[in-house]
Structures are given as structure tokens and as C-alpha cells.
Amino acid sequence: MTRVIPTLLFLAASLLAAQVQATTTFKIATLAPDGTSWMNEMRAAAQTIAQRTDGRVAFRFYPGGIMGNDKSLLRKMRVGQLHGGALTGGGLAEILPEAQLYSLPFEFRDFSEVDYVRQHMDPLLMAQLKNAGYIGFGISEGGFAYLMSDAPIAGIDALKGHKIWVPEGDLISRRAFEAAGTAPIPLPLTDVLTGLQTGLIDTVAATPTGAIALQWHTRVRYLTDAPLMYIYGALVIQQRAFEKLDTADQQLVHEVMGEAFERLNRQNRKDNHSALNALQIQGIEFVQGEAEALQQWRDTITAAMNTLVDGGLFDGAHLLLPHDRGSGMD
């Protein structure tokens, strides 16, 4: 009997060690605040994955920017402090410059154009992301961003004199506003509300849901009712970390997270429609963009983006500028 007890203890300890060793926990950070659709869907997907893998695969999330902005997340991923991040389009462009194509100002006029282009471009971007050493699980729509300001902006000339925020490191947005004759102010997302409160900036481009979630809508009075740019995000995990999972678990994570991002895509579109109505109810005045002035800005941006293509920032073969639109979009 004295020999049996140590043997049983040894076997129990070995079994426990094997279970611990078999568990892979992905540490994922994001700017998305807890309680948002993004976090709710990712947490639900993580719970499903843990259940269906019997605990072999787990996720630990760091929401609300507590790990820093997208650049900080990517730096921490490179040194192994994080395994992945739910990145904004600007963060994704740090890995893959072509990802900026979706967020070109005035690139899309409506969601039918978005859906057509994404049907063809999403798989290409995911493949290129893998070539860069990252695994993507699909792109989730953030929605159209609109100019929101303390004074009405109906066209390009009205922009001058405004203190316009652009995301830190976002060359596309900076060049677009510079082409309009302004001097945009780069700030990390986490500093925008403070910038609005202190008067450092007075104009932002944001989705309706984003403006409400981040409380920016409390510091502006006008919304220019013309889609400025398309906002999106994606969950990425370093390929070397992800491929430590066995093939079956990799496929399961792809399936569950992919379905979560498809749901997010649909839900975010509905949420933004509701948020637009909420902004009006809360007293934000909608300013109709002047067609001629908006076209002038589009033409100005087209020239600026062509300059970036000529400079090799991204592949011009994927670039859809306003004059390239044809009946194929219908």
C-alpha cells in the first residue's frame, strides 16, 4: 500500500502537468472598450473555443487601450509580451500597407461599393497578412466615418482654420487633410477626448458608434452628412504562436473567430444606423455637404493619393479612385 500511494500521486501530478502543458493562452490587446460589440463577440467566441477544445485553447483580453495604441501592441507582439491584437485599420497598415486602401477618403460612396470591393479584396489581404507572418480572422466593419466639428463644414474651403485630428501614424489621413490646405494634428486615439476638451483639436472623423462610445459626441455640435472614409478592424495573431496549435484546433479557432467577425460586420452596420439617429436626437446638427465642394475635395485627394502610389506606399493596382468607378459596382 505504501508503494501505491506515491505512484498514484506521481500519476496525478503527471496528468495535471500534461493538462497545463496542453493549454495555449493567447494574450490579445485592443483599443476597443469593454462592453462594446467587439469585446462581447470576441469574449463569446473565446468561451466557445475553450469549451470545444476542452480548455486546450484560451484567450486573455486586454481591452480599452490598457496595453497602449496599435503601435505599442505591435511592438509588444514582436517581443512576445502579446500574441495578437484586435487592430484598427491604421494598425493593420503597419503590418500591411495595402490595408490602408479601404480607408482612403471618399473611396466609397455607399455600402454597396464597400460590399463589392471587400468581396474581392478581403481574401487577398488575409493571404498577404499571412505572408507577413500574421494570421487574420476576417475584417470587421467599423462603418463610415463622418466629420464632426464645433462649426459647420460643408466643403473643402470650410476646413481651413479647423484643428483637425488624425490618428497617430496615419499617413493617408494626414496627406488627405494637408491636400485640403489644413495642418492636421496627430494624436493617439486615447488622447482625442482630452484634445477636444482642451481645444487642442476641434474636428474629428469618427463613426457614429465610435463617437458615442468614446464620448467625443459631447464635444462637437455638427456632423457633415457625407461619408468621409471607411473604418474597419481585424484580429491578428502572430503566425509562429498560432501554428503551435494542432491542425484541428487551428481550424476550430478560424471557424469560431471567423463567424464572430462576420456577426460583428453585420451588427456594426445596424448599430451605426441607430447611432446616427441617436446623434440627431441628442442635438448634433447634420450639415449637408455641398456637391461641388465635395467633388473638389475628392479631386484633390485623388491627386494626393496618386502621389503616394508613385512614392511606393502601396500597390496602385489595387487602388480604386473615384474616376475608376464603373458599372461593375452596380
Side-chain angles (χ1 to χ4, degrees), residues 131-195:
N131 290 338
Y134 296 84
I135 302 297
F137 300 89
I139 289 174
S140 174
E141 177 175 295
F144 280 128
Y146 298 84
L147 275 181
M148 302 183 193
S149 56
D150 66 347
I153 298 174
I156 187 170
D157 290 336
L159 280 171
K160 296 171 184 176
H162 280 272
K163 294 176 284 188
I164 302 170
W165 166 69
V166 293
E168 191 176 52
D170 187 341
L171 179 61
I172 294 287
S173 295
R174 181 163 64 83
R175 289 290 178 85
F177 284 114
E178 287 174 345
T182 68
I185 299 170
L187 291 172
L189 191 72
T190 49
D191 292 348
V192 174
L193 181 58
T194 301

Side-chain angles (χ1 to χ4, degrees), residues 15 18 33 47 65 125 129 188 200 233 241 244 289:
L15 178 60
Q47 185 175 5
L125 291 178
L129 194 60
L200 176 63
K244 290 179 181 179

Side-chain angles (χ1 to χ4, degrees), residues 148-154 158 162 202-203 221-224 287:
M148 302 183 193
S149 56
D150 66 347
I153 298 174
H162 280 272
D202 57 32
T203 303
R221 295 190 297 160
Y222 298 91
L223 179 149
T224 303
V287 179

Side-chain angles (χ1 to χ4, degrees), residues 25 53 79-80 98 106 111 120 158 167 171 217-218 231-232 236 252 264 298 305:
T25 300
T53 62
V79 300
E98 285 80 4
F106 295 119
F111 284 118
H120 295 82
L171 179 61
H217 72 296
T218 63
I231 305 298
Y232 65 97
V236 301
L252 176 64
L264 264 177
R298 289 188 181 98
M305 295 305 105

